[in-house]
Amino acid sequence: MAQLSDDCFAFGGALLSVEAAAALIAERVPPLPGAESVPLTAARGRILAEDLRAPQPLPPFFNSAVDGYAFRHADLDPSGETRLRLAFRLAAGQAASEPLLPGTACRILTGAPMPPGADTVMMQEDARLEDAFLLLPPGLKHGANCRPAGEDVAEGALALPAGRVLDAPAIGLAAALGQAVLSVRRRPRIGVFSTGDELAAPGTPLGPAQTYDSNRFSLLALLGGLPVQAVDLGILPDRAGATDAALRAAAAEHDMLLTSGGVSAGEEDHVRAAIQAAGSLVFWRLALKPGRPAALGVVGGTPVLGLPGNPVASFVTFLHLARPLVLQLCGAAPSPLPRFVAEAGFAYRKKAGRREYVRVRLAPPAEGGLPLAAKYPREGAGLLSSLTGSDAFAELPEAATGVAPGERITILPFAGLF
């Protein structure tokens, strides 16, 4: 379980910028202790616990990069065609049993070790054969079409740093270096609550004033893309005592708690008060739309993050608060959200001093241009269909007061976020 002091953040501001919130998390939340060894087949998405240095060079030997003919560059006539006798043939997986003598060449296939004495390869389509002889044109550079030992990774070099998320390329590199297992950070145990008497679990009958709980399942799905153990803790009722008791009990069993709803200033919003009663509140409101009423606190040494109840606001605050907090607990290296530039195909007004995220659909760029972003026609933070009907968020910075058609805007694509 995470063990933070209740005053480890000690921030007293009222309205916090996204960057300031992320900086507090990065500076003051230590990675969880502990690691385990897992086979490569189970390593995808995990966080590397220690540096991986190459135990041998990659590739491990001098080899041919193409199908062709290996020879000594010193034998190549710089002024005209060179005639060399073919001595033997090497395929991938075969090593030469004898050195390549001056005045001779060998047939060599991609990946085969270069025979001793050879230092250059002519691609097969650039050479001519005449009986048992190879005819080579002039002009080939020394070492052409060869891969030296260690060209990819030198022996002892840092191949993968601790904190790296183990994706397919990283796992492939570890395998190429002969690693059957890797040491990875342990997965934080994250408990997820929804809050509110108005919520019913999907699959159960709705009461006369109820809606089905969606945020909990969205958050569990978002956590499913991170190296954590996500635990469904159900729905908290709108009662102060029950909320307080549930947070205290869950904090003792988890490395982090994630809630949605109950963090605003309403009479039935009990999460923020429960965090304050059981531990300490780090911050409450962000300079963010949608997503201002988000709360981060510490209960019994465990970080508790309360996200807004509106579904779109819950998604936005997850990206800016929950994701970096989880990755910090995992010991992962910083991982910025994916962004690119598009052209605005809409006009929009906003208040200065807060960052806003506008849902947009993207059209392919015209030749030489940028993708065109069209604003989703409705703006409500409770509209889940606005997420399924959009491709991305347009990120409007704090200093901006609006967007005009044709302006360049920053885009956060859903494909890279969710």
Side-chain angles (χ1 to χ4, degrees), residues 251-273:
E253 301 293 331
H254 296 82
D255 299 303
M256 173 182 160
L257 299 180
L258 187 61
T259 72
S260 70
V263 291
S264 194
E267 294 179 6
E268 299 296 338
D269 291 323
H270 301 298
V271 171
R272 179 167 57 93

Side-chain angles (χ1 to χ4, degrees), residues 12-333:
L15 201 63
L16 201 62
S17 72
V18 171
E19 281 76 16
L24 280 172
I25 291 169
E27 292 169 5
R28 307 188 191 184
V29 176
L32 296 174
E36 61 178 328
S37 293
V38 298
L40 291 183
T41 52
R44 181 180 180 274
R46 301 295 296 271
I47 308 299
L48 192 63
E50 55 191 37
D51 289 346
L52 173 60
R53 293 191 173 274
Q56 69 275 326
L58 182 67
F61 50 81
F62 187 32
N63 69 93
S64 176
V66 298
D67 291 344
Y69 301 91
F71 59 96
R72 296 170 178 264
H73 189 267
D75 286 341
L76 196 62
D77 185 343
S79 60
E81 194 171 61
T82 300
R83 182 182 177 89
L84 301 174
R85 182 177 59 83
L86 282 175
F88 48 84
R89 179 182 182 275
L90 291 174
Q94 296 177 335
S97 59
E98 56 186 282
L100 191 68
L101 299 177
T104 67
C106 82
R107 171 66 168 155
I108 194 165
L109 302 183
T110 303
M114 293 285 284
D119 54 19
T120 304
V121 173
M122 177 72 76
M123 295 178 66
Q124 61 186 17
E125 52 265 42
D126 295 331
R128 291 192 302 119
L129 293 178
E130 189 177 272
D131 297 327
F133 290 90
L134 177 69
L135 303 179
L136 302 175
L140 196 65
K141 293 182 178 179
H142 179 272
N145 302 312
C146 299
R147 294 185 290 221
E151 177 188 51
D152 192 353
V153 183
E155 183 175 0
L158 178 63
L160 295 170
R164 165 72 188 249
V165 177
L166 292 169
D167 54 10
I171 291 171
L173 180 56
L177 291 171
Q179 306 302 297
V181 298
L182 292 171
S183 178
V184 297
R185 292 274 189 176
R186 79 170 180 89
R187 294 184 297 164
R189 183 175 165 85
I190 313 292
V192 182
F193 286 111
S194 283
T195 67
D197 292 337
E198 76 280 10
L199 299 179
T204 64
L206 281 176
Q210 286 189 310
T211 59
Y212 284 120
D213 177 15
S214 65
N215 281 358
R216 183 161 44 101
F217 298 94
S218 296
L219 295 175
L220 288 167
L222 288 166
L223 288 171
L226 297 171
V228 304
Q229 300 178 61
V231 182
D232 183 356
L233 297 180
I235 302 171
L236 288 176
D238 283 329
R239 293 192 296 277
T243 301
D244 184 293
L247 292 186
R248 290 176 188 269
E253 301 293 331
H254 296 82
D255 299 303
M256 173 182 160
L257 299 180
L258 187 61
T259 72
S260 70
V263 291
S264 194
E267 294 179 6
E268 299 296 338
D269 291 323
H270 301 298
V271 171
R272 179 167 57 93
I275 293 173
Q276 288 178 301
S280 68
L281 187 68
V282 175
F283 60 76
W284 172 34
R285 297 184 303 164
L286 294 178
L288 182 66
K289 180 183 178 181
R292 184 174 68 170
L296 177 61
V298 181
V299 173
T302 298
V304 181
L305 180 58
L307 304 183
N310 280 322
V312 180
S314 179
F315 270 86
V316 171
T317 50
F318 180 95
L319 295 175
H320 287 295
L321 297 177
R323 180 180 179 273
L325 179 53
V326 167
L327 292 176
Q328 186 74 11
L329 290 173
C330 291

